[in-house]
Amino acid sequence: MREARHAQYSLTESFSEHETGQQLKQLSDLIDQYPELVDLVHKDLTLSKPRQTGCKGLTLDTVLRCLLIKQLFQFSYEKMAFHLSDSASYRAFARLPMGVSPSRSSLQKCIRTIQPNTLQLLNTKMIKHWLDDGMIDIEHLRIDSTVVRSHIAPPSDSLLLNDGIRVLSRMLAKAKDVTGIRFSFRDQRKKAKSLAFRIFNAGEDLKNHLYPELLHLADLVMKQVARALDKITSADHWRANLIHYRDLLAKVIDQTTRRVINGEKVPSSDKIVSVFESHTDIIVKGFRDIQYGHKINLSSDASGFFTHCSIEKGNTSDKALYMPVLHAHQNDYQCLPKRTIADGGYASQKNVTEGLALGVKAAAFQKRVGLTLSEMGLKQKTFKKLAAFRAGIEGNISELKRRFGCSVAQWKGKEGFDAFVWSSILSYNLIRLVRLQR
């Protein structure tokens, strides 16, 4: 059965005198001040029917600390496994007993088991503690949104068709090994790859001739999948995966036919941009380039701590993201900021009215968009100070993306995407407090 912590810490544990080693030591001491953090990950990392014999695995405390190491230094699992076996400072921070060096696969399995809701709860608990202790003051709150990209290649209809054909054909080729039932089919992967490559490098005139051929191959694969599902009625997990990718390929066929063959303008909500990260949204912020991922809405206090984050579905307007921030602070921390400042994209008379009615004394927007200062509950001098204050969240978001890797979510699936974002925010907030306590 997995333990929460080691019964006795090593007496020989030591941290390097280097700045990074001392930062890890301070972070380790900070985590020790809040033992409930380890208790919160207990449900995710403990089996419902734990084994009483055999290897107990890494402790809950060690898994949480390894997650922080990964996000702080943006290590791959392979590189982290090396550092945990080689570096005394990393081993001391992770609380690894002598002779224990976790492998890449065990680190990945343990870290990815922690759910995004748990990581969100960890962050909320820490912020609440720091509010109660007076280390955070949300009297003034700044709000902004950004996009975290999915880890996908720039999408194109030809590459999406090829991906769908490739994945489904590979599953059909391995059907006998997985299900025990022989299933014969004609493999279209080589022909589809060649067509997709030719389309990608062709001019518009040639593309119009090549796309029907690729769509024909996709239709053939769809028919083969239908025959396989009729013949193979067992192997539920294999069937579920086959159906999942079949439905995705059907969407790609539909959007390609509408866009390329029929010349329609397909709405973003009807498009799929990745077969492997199908949750990915198409995000356009202002006149900037199109991005593929999810919009996240953030708020930070004067010290730069992220007090709130929401991962949005679809290209939600910023106007609709203002009030949820206030409601979240009221529900999570039982308090509201006195003054808020947000970008012009959040500005609306409705947000001002509802914010003031909720208890906020001033709801300011840097670009007023027809709102007067009196309507926002501000004077000119105060508005200028809040506008200067709002600029700080740009630096906070920049550090979150550059230092903690939150520009591109590296973990797979929607659950992995959310967990990656929340682990980055948790690591960011913990390190920020360590810096402020120096």
Side-chain angles (χ1 to χ4, degrees):
M1 183 170 64
R2 194 185 297 273
E3 296 177 340
R5 302 170 183 81
H6 292 295
Q8 182 177 353
Y9 297 141
S10 172
L11 298 176
T12 60
E13 128 181 336
S14 62
F15 291 87
S16 167
E17 293 300 321
H18 186 273
E19 180 183 359
T20 301
Q22 292 305 300
Q23 188 179 69
L24 286 173
K25 184 178 186 306
Q26 289 177 286
L27 181 57
S28 179
D29 294 339
L30 177 62
I31 296 171
D32 286 338
Q33 295 175 25
Y34 305 100
E36 67 269 27
L37 294 183
V38 176
D39 298 332
L40 289 172
V41 302
H42 181 272
K43 184 178 178 181
D44 293 342
L45 291 166
T46 306
L47 299 175
S48 56
K49 293 183 180 180
R51 294 178 297 175
Q52 300 299 321
T53 59
C55 181
K56 295 181 179 180
L58 300 175
T59 65
L60 306 181
D61 186 30
T62 295
V63 173
L64 179 60
R65 287 164 176 265
C66 286
L67 179 143
L68 294 175
I69 288 176
K70 178 169 175 55
Q71 294 307 100
L72 287 174
F73 301 102
Q74 291 300 292
F75 288 153
S76 65
Y77 288 108
E78 187 66 46
K79 185 174 284 188
M80 184 164 65
F82 166 72
H83 284 297
L84 287 174
S85 66
D86 179 70
S87 168
S89 292
Y90 289 131
R91 292 184 62 84
F93 177 79
R95 298 273 166 80
L96 288 171
M98 186 177 295
V100 175
S101 296
S103 66
R104 173 195 62 78
S105 58
S106 63
L107 286 169
Q108 181 178 16
K109 182 179 180 181
C110 291
I111 289 174
R112 288 291 288 107
T113 302
I114 303 178
Q115 299 299 301
N117 290 340
T118 302
L119 293 166
Q120 181 179 0
L121 182 59
L122 288 173
N123 190 72
T124 302
K125 290 284 186 182
M126 293 304 302
I127 295 296
K128 186 168 177 55
H129 275 303
W130 299 338
L131 278 169
D132 294 340
D133 295 341
M135 289 184 282
I136 292 181
D137 181 9
I138 61 169
E139 181 174 336
H140 295 88
L141 198 70
R142 46 198 174 193
I143 303 169
D144 203 359
S145 65
T146 188
V147 177
V148 179
R149 303 195 310 275
S150 294
H151 191 48
I152 63 172
S156 70
D157 290 319
S158 59
L159 296 180
L160 289 172
L161 286 168
N162 180 54
D163 285 342
I165 292 170
R166 176 166 54 89
V167 172
L168 289 170
S169 298
R170 183 173 62 222
M171 293 183 69
L172 293 175
K174 295 182 178 180
K176 185 177 183 299
D177 296 334
V178 176
T179 67
I181 300 173
R182 185 176 181 81
F183 178 80
S184 60
F185 79 107
R186 180 170 291 182
D187 196 336
Q188 306 292 348
R189 282 178 283 182
K190 186 175 181 180
K191 191 181 293 185
K193 181 179 179 181
S194 175
L195 277 171
F197 179 79
R198 290 169 63 192
I199 291 171
F200 187 77
N201 293 283
E204 290 300 323
D205 293 339
L206 186 56
K207 284 182 181 180
N208 294 334
H209 295 288
L210 295 176
Y211 260 115
E213 294 183 45
L214 187 56
L215 285 168
H216 175 65
L217 292 183
D219 287 332
L220 290 178
V221 172
M222 293 291 283
K223 292 176 182 177
Q224 292 174 347
V225 169
R227 290 199 300 272
L229 291 172
D230 289 339
K231 186 172 183 179
I232 303 172
T233 56
S234 57
D236 292 341
H237 181 69
W238 180 85
R239 281 177 57 89
N241 280 335
L242 194 69
I243 291 170
H244 171 72
Y245 286 109
R246 178 204 65 183
D247 294 343
L248 291 176
L249 179 57
K251 290 182 179 179
V252 176
I253 292 172
D254 176 68
Q255 74 184 36
T256 304
T257 302
R258 292 168 62 187
R259 194 185 71 82
V260 178
I261 306 301
N262 300 334
E264 295 180 25
K265 188 173 181 180
V266 182
S268 298
S269 57
D270 293 347
K271 288 182 181 178
I272 178 173
V273 295
S274 173
V275 171
F276 307 106
E277 300 293 334
S278 55
H279 59 86
T280 302
D281 292 324
I282 302 173
I283 308 295
V284 181
K285 284 177 69 68
F287 298 101
R288 286 171 252 181
D289 294 336
I290 298 173
Q291 299 185 70
Y292 305 99
H294 292 285
K295 180 184 283 190
I296 65 172
N297 194 40
L298 297 159
S299 68
S300 78
D301 75 329
S303 298
F305 292 97
F306 286 119
T307 59
H308 169 77
C309 171
S310 62
I311 303 170
E312 301 300 322
K313 183 178 180 180
N315 194 8
T316 311
S317 169
D318 284 348
K319 287 183 175 64
L321 300 178
Y322 175 75
M323 288 305 299
V325 175
L326 300 184
H327 290 307
H329 281 77
Q330 193 174 49
N331 294 333
D332 294 340
Y333 313 125
Q334 291 75 53
C335 61
L336 285 170
K338 291 183 179 178
R339 295 183 178 88
T340 65
I341 178 71
D343 197 5
Y346 294 82
S348 73
Q349 184 60 62
K350 181 182 177 183
N351 283 339
V352 171
T353 303
E354 292 184 359
L356 297 177
L358 193 64
V360 177
K361 292 185 178 179
F365 304 97
Q366 189 156 6
K367 297 176 183 177
R368 288 179 270 175
V369 193
L371 297 171
T372 65
L373 291 176
S374 60
E375 287 173 334
M376 293 188 290
L378 290 169
K379 294 181 179 179
Q380 182 67 36
K381 183 178 180 181
T382 307
F383 177 76
K384 286 184 177 180
K385 288 182 179 179
L386 285 174
F389 168 66
R390 194 208 71 84
I393 197 171
E394 303 285 356
N396 301 150
I397 292 174
S398 177
E399 183 181 6
L400 179 69
K401 288 188 168 187
R402 290 182 296 101
R403 175 70 172 80
F404 298 90
C406 208
S407 57
V408 181
Q410 301 288 339
W411 297 348
K412 293 182 178 179
K414 182 59 169 68
E415 191 175 90
F417 186 101
D418 293 353
F420 187 90
V421 171
W422 276 111
S423 61
S424 298
I425 290 174
L426 177 64
S427 304
Y428 168 93
N429 281 336
L430 287 169
I431 283 295
R432 179 156 288 268
L433 185 64
V434 166
R435 291 172 181 166
L436 291 176
Q437 288 183 336
R438 284 182 178 178

